[in-house]
Amino acid sequence: MMEVQPFGPGSMHWDTTGEYRNLLVAGSALVMQTMHPAVGAAVAEHSTYKDDPWGRLTRTLVSIQKWVYGGADGPAEGERLRRLHRPIGGVDELGRPYHALNGEAWAWVHLSLFERFVVLNRYFGTPFTVEQERRLYAESRQLGAILRVPERELPADLEAFWRYFDAMVADRLEAHPTALDVLSVLRGTPAPPGLPRPLRRLWTPVGAGSGEFNYFVTVGTLPSAVRRKLGLPWTAREERRLRHLGHAVAVLTPRLPERLRYMPIAYHARKAARGARRLERHLRSA
């Protein structure tokens, strides 16, 4: 296991993980994660995504922010998650045994987030350069250590990651009933209650309710191979609409005040870090 190092200012995760625009790929992340048979079975039996979708997402986002903005407490949050998942296991509807801490499944939940960060910036920001992807993936391996993902499950570098990702989509992911159910739940989900007003105005630009918008963005940002596996149609016209929406988000996001751009834990951590740096400079110059 790699040495666990907390994140801090200057890392890519510090600048991106706490942004509200991550909500735009939260649904697609859950769909892809639950296409892994072990994850799909565990979520079906033990998750509250149906009864409390935004509550479940809020708890997930708080946990993710602690990984990145919690400093020395980040690894403790990773360990808490492992303890929480340790008793989750059983046999799925096809008679296959599963466990939430199965190394491959635990790694997939984590590593799929890296791919979602790349897609998020492809659609709703400035696409990463290859070097930025390399840097972000190196940080993702660092995050994997915080989450106690077995190092053998973490591809060594960016090229190895994309080979791993393509193989997982082709050979391990399936049209799991939980993934299809997540899509159905997303279709009826309203706008997230904590979304800032400027972003809330972008929540319904496709002419339907916010649940339909959520479904539209979720399906549109999935890899085409995943859409095919799930039997989800996607047209060139829909892709153009998604690109137009993405351009609007990419233009708006950098102009938002930091307190509207970032979720509360991220905002306060970033503000505190700047204050600590100012104090350090004053002490050095005194």
Side-chain angles (χ1 to χ4, degrees):
M1 176 63 64
M2 295 182 295
E3 182 183 356
V4 179
Q5 294 290 335
F7 286 92
S11 66
M12 292 181 71
H13 277 75
W14 185 266
D15 289 335
T16 61
T17 303
E19 288 185 305
Y20 276 108
R21 67 191 178 111
N22 288 300
L23 293 170
L24 292 164
V25 294
S28 57
L30 183 57
V31 169
M32 289 172 54
Q33 289 164 358
T34 53
M35 289 176 71
H36 188 287
V39 180
V43 169
E45 291 296 321
H46 301 278
S47 177
T48 60
Y49 76 92
K50 278 187 182 181
D51 300 325
D52 185 22
W54 286 121
R56 191 259 187 201
L57 177 62
T58 298
R59 291 186 291 274
T60 299
L61 293 173
V62 166
S63 184
I64 290 173
Q65 288 179 85
K66 286 181 179 179
W67 307 342
V68 174
Y69 302 103
D73 291 332
E77 175 63 12
E79 185 54 40
R80 185 192 72 84
L81 283 178
R82 286 190 67 86
R83 288 196 306 271
L84 184 68
H85 287 82
R86 197 165 287 139
I88 297 176
V91 178
D92 71 10
E93 71 282 355
L94 297 180
R96 298 173 294 189
Y98 71 88
H99 195 280
L101 293 183
N102 166 274
E104 181 189 83
W106 190 249
W108 172 246
V109 170
H110 163 58
L111 290 168
S112 60
L113 294 178
F114 168 74
E115 187 270 349
R116 291 291 85 192
F117 271 131
V118 172
V119 169
L120 174 73
N121 282 275
R122 185 183 305 150
Y123 277 100
F124 303 108
T126 302
F128 291 140
T129 65
V130 173
E131 286 309 309
Q132 285 174 319
E133 284 191 22
R134 288 190 200 284
R135 181 182 168 198
L136 185 67
Y137 182 67
E139 291 184 12
S140 292
R141 283 178 51 85
Q142 176 185 348
L143 184 55
I146 289 175
L147 297 178
R148 304 295 181 184
V149 176
E151 190 169 1
R152 67 179 182 277
E153 301 287 352
L154 296 172
D157 54 30
L158 181 66
E159 289 74 18
F161 168 81
W162 288 118
R163 291 193 298 271
Y164 156 87
F165 181 82
D166 290 343
M168 287 293 292
V169 171
D171 302 328
R172 288 295 286 141
L173 301 193
E174 59 187 47
H176 197 279
T178 303
L180 296 169
D181 194 46
V182 167
L183 281 166
S184 177
V185 170
L186 290 172
R187 200 162 204 163
T189 303
L195 197 65
R197 188 181 300 275
L199 291 180
R200 186 174 289 270
R201 288 200 293 268
L202 291 173
W203 190 258
T204 54
V206 293
S210 56
E212 286 296 324
F213 172 73
N214 198 15
Y215 179 85
F216 169 79
V217 172
T218 296
V219 172
T221 55
L222 287 170
S224 57
V226 169
R227 283 199 298 263
R228 287 194 297 272
K229 204 161 241 193
L230 293 172
L232 300 171
W234 186 251
T235 67
R237 181 171 179 268
E238 287 172 319
E239 180 69 18
R240 288 193 296 272
R241 290 163 68 191
L242 182 60
R243 295 284 179 177
H244 289 319
L245 169 68
H247 176 72
V249 173
V251 170
L252 171 65
T253 297
R255 300 179 181 180
L256 290 175
E258 189 174 30
R259 63 183 177 81
L260 295 181
R261 180 174 177 178
Y262 287 90
M263 291 173 247
I265 291 175
Y267 168 69
H268 289 295
R270 290 168 60 84
K271 184 177 179 181
R274 288 195 300 271
R277 288 198 298 272
R278 283 195 296 269
L279 175 60
E280 186 178 346
R281 286 197 299 270
H282 288 317
L283 291 174
R284 284 201 303 265
S285 61

